[in-house]
Amino acid sequence: MEDPKKLEEGFGNQKKLNSDVEIDITSHQGNKLDNRDDSNQDLVSHENEQKTLDQPLQKEEEEQPPIKHKSKRVATLDAFRGLTIVLMILVDDAGGAYARIDHSPWNGCTLADFVMPFFLFIVGVAIALALKRVPKVSAAIRKVTLRTLKLLFWGIILQGGYSHAPYDLAYGVDMKLIRWCGILQRIALVYLIVALIEILTTKLRPATLTPGHFSIFTAYKWQWLGGFVAFVVYMTTLYGLYVPDWNFLVHYEDRSERYTVKCGMRGHLGPACNAVGYVDRQVWGINHLYKFPVWARSKVCTLSYPATGPLRDDAPSWCRAPFEPEGLLSSISAIMSGTLGIHYGHVLIHFKGHGERLKQWVSMGFGLLIVAFILHFTNAIPLNKQLYSFSYVCFTAGAAGIVFSGFYILIDVSGLRMPFLWLEWIGMNAMLIFVLGAQGIFAGFINGWYFKNEDNNLVNWIQHHVFFDVWKSERVGTLLYVIFAEITFWAILAGMFHRLGIYWKL
């Protein structure tokens, strides 16, 4: 049985492209790639001093067939991916009860706002490891393209409106209203761009780093150039594109009403007149955008802020409008998250010492956090997940780098794997749990077996009788249900699948 393939990695079926399956994490010092299959590079450590002694030894070794050592997986990679899936389930299913952990209505950053950039960060790390060696460029491009198409397909099925799980047992979508964007679609775009840059520059990558503090950056200048181009395109469009007035139609039970939003400006970062929304309305069409944007929970829209509630009588018209949180322009900005993630992967490849890796990772992480704080608190560029602002990129990538480094210290350096095994199991089967758990497909399947009416099903019975009634609180019951009936359940199931060698890869 082959090793698991994660949501963002690829090329596991090629023996030469095996770095996403098994990665060497030994602590040998040096700024060069670990070419363990080369016959005699590491036999002589002091050639100039011991040439006479080493020559017989080298000759003897040359007579021996090369021994291939099986390298270890980087457990941190799986654990971090598992943590991201757990966060997604927690904020998606408990965010309604605890609005403070749900997505920020506009500016700011909550627990839910870390999920998407954490995914993209790990996409970048995984790409670096998966493309550590590229024997054939054309084959690698085909695999990346095929994987991108698979991600797009599943994204449209799960979030385009075709699947109504878990509570609505119907399925199907009106093509006039289908949502083209979503989580997997954004991952697909970032994965495609970052992976193609990595593949097409494979002959330009150095085998060893030149001395210097910034050698890891100059060695991968094309990857950084790709991130910079994404930054320029995003910032130029965000601040330079003119946004005219726009209107939309809302269908109520007994009538339809058209609303108009007055804009006529450029460079606006508020909900109504930003260029991110304008680009999506022009490219996709307003009927194909997300119908329940989080800005409806803002103070100006509802008295229930920060929770969901009825709109105020004097709420602005845009409070009722659709908005795409995974839109085109914001996804271009998200390429920067993948670029920062692939940098962490490059550090993992080139630096064999734990100390050197952590110095690179932690310094980058704190540097990004400082930039984000300056931009946000000076109000130059506020943190904003919906716009995927540059400060948001820096803040979430910096946080991802710090968390990744913390996991690395605990798991791969200190060897404390046992407390995090459940996260590793989930991370190894991330796609399976994302589809069945986070997107509610499994719960929808269970709900399909009901008694007399659709609400009388096993999921609702467990929620009300095991959690709500026992704790006499729907909020506490919801949180405990998510922790024990969802997260714990999927951790146990992922562990069983791991023991059986069952993994779902794209």
Side-chain angles (χ1 to χ4, degrees), residues 61 67 112 117 122 134 212 226 267 277 376 467 493:
E61 281 294 324
I67 299 176
I122 209 67
V134 183
H376 178 72
F467 293 96
L493 191 64

Side-chain angles (χ1 to χ4, degrees), residues 1 23 32 100 105-106 108 112 116 121 175 181 183 188 193 218 251 302 322 326 330 364 411 435 468:
M1 178 61 66
I23 309 300
K32 58 184 178 180
R100 293 292 181 181
W106 198 245
M116 173 56 76
F121 176 87
M175 292 300 293
C181 301
I183 294 172
I193 300 300
T218 57
H251 299 281
T302 178
E326 275 82 43
S330 55
M364 171 66 84
I411 299 173
V435 173
F468 295 173

